């Protein structure tokens, strides 16, 4: 069965310091992986996606993620946090050619301290 | 493009009432879906559609109905509202693509409270 685990429900960083949000997945097939961001009382916005091309994926707002098959991980990073990065982040795995299964992690709430 | 739109933004229902949450997209996407978001649980799939006239159940379909008569619209009906259906509901759409790579586009959500 496919699953996705976000290892931290809350992460706090100081403004200007690096961000690391961790995501592990389980899949019997070659997955596609996504990171979405949700600002308070807003919908979900795609940050980046991995679809079996380059393993290091660059997204919007300076975020990037690296697909590591051996570790079944897809961690999200940013070199320097900004106050506007405070939000909830979801790791999502999509599996099964032709099927419509997008499995969401439970989310990581990022707090950025001034 | 307006993208994915949802109405209403907020709704309060009494137990036993019925209502329809509206969702529309103007991107000519074949795939549409409904999710509910509850604290600490991420998003869970309620129902989805792979094209007009074709719908199927997701992870948590009980108490909800859907239909898809046009490509653009995908309404979600609550048949008899229960407090357990208090949640934030998101509609999403995506293009039909080969393999897994399709990005989903989300609406702004409907916050539903059932008393």
């Amino acid at each position: 069965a496919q699953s996705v685990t976000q290892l931290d429900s809350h992460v706090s960083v100081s403004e200007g310091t690096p961000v690391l949000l961790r995501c592990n997945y389980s899949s019997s097939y070659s997955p596609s992986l996504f990171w979405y961001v949700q600002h308070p009382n807003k919908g979900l916005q795609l940050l980046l996606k991995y679809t079996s091309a380059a393993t290091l994926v660059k997204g919007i707002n300076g975020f990037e993620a690296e697909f590591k098959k051996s570790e079944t991980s897809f961690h999200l990073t940013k070199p320097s946090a900004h106050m506007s990065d405070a939000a909830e982040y979801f790791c999502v795995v999509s599996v099964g050619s032709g099927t419509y299964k997008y499995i969401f992690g439970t989310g990581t709430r990022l707090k950025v301290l001034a | 493009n307006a993208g994915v739109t949802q109405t209403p933004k907020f709704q309060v229902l009494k137990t036993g009432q019925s209502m329809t949450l509206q969702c529309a997209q103007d991107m000519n996407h074949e795939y549409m879906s409904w999710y509910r978001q509850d604290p600490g649980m991420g998003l869970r799939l309620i129902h989805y559609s792979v094209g007009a006239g074709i719908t199927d159940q997701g992870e948590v379909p009980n108490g909800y109905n859907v239909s898809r008569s046009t490509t653009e619209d995908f309404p979600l009906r609550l048949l008899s509202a229960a407090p357990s259906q208090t949640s934030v509901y998101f509609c999403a759409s995506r293009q039909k693509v080969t393999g897994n790579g399709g990005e989903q586009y989300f609406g702004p959500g409907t916050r539903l409270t059932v008393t």
Side-chain angles (χ1 to χ4, degrees), chain B residues 48-69:
Chain B
Y48 65 97
S49 168
V50 298
I54 307 170
T55 64
D56 205 348
Q57 296 181 350
E59 182 185 355
V60 288
N62 292 342
Y64 307 95
N65 271 358
V66 292
S67 59
R68 183 101 178 267
S69 55

Side-chain angles (χ1 to χ4, degrees), chain A residues 49-66:
Chain A
K49 66 179 179 180
Y50 166 78
T51 56
S52 76
T55 56
L56 182 62
V57 181
K58 294 189 184 299
I60 61 171
N61 300 334
F63 285 95
E64 63 181 38
E66 186 171 7

Side-chain angles (χ1 to χ4, degrees), chain A residues 33-37 44-49 60, chain B residues 103-104:
Chain A
L33 294 154
F34 307 82
W35 276 99
Y36 282 85
V37 61
L44 279 76
Q45 179 185 18
L46 180 72
L47 276 179
L48 49 81
K49 66 179 179 180
I60 61 171
Chain B
E103 167 193 349
Q104 290 191 96

Side-chain angles (χ1 to χ4, degrees), chain A residues 29-32 34 36 38 41-46 49 51 88 90 92 94-107, chain B residues 31-33 35 37 40-45 48-50 90 92-94 97-109 111:
Chain A
Y29 307 96
S30 296
S32 286
F34 307 82
Y36 282 85
Q38 183 182 31
N41 300 313
K42 299 290 187 183
L44 279 76
Q45 179 185 18
L46 180 72
K49 66 179 179 180
T51 56
E88 187 149 26
F90 292 96
V92 183
S94 169
V95 293
S97 177
T99 66
Y100 196 74
K101 293 219 179 276
Y102 286 75
I103 301 168
F104 283 75
T106 52
Chain B
Y31 290 1
M32 296 185 73
S33 60
Y35 293 88
Q37 182 180 27
M41 301 187 74
L43 274 70
R44 293 180 292 167
L45 183 65
Y48 65 97
S49 168
V50 298
F90 288 99
S93 73
R94 73 174 177 105
V97 295
T98 302
N100 303 322
E103 167 193 349
Q104 290 191 96
Y105 294 80
F106 286 86
R111 188 174 296 272

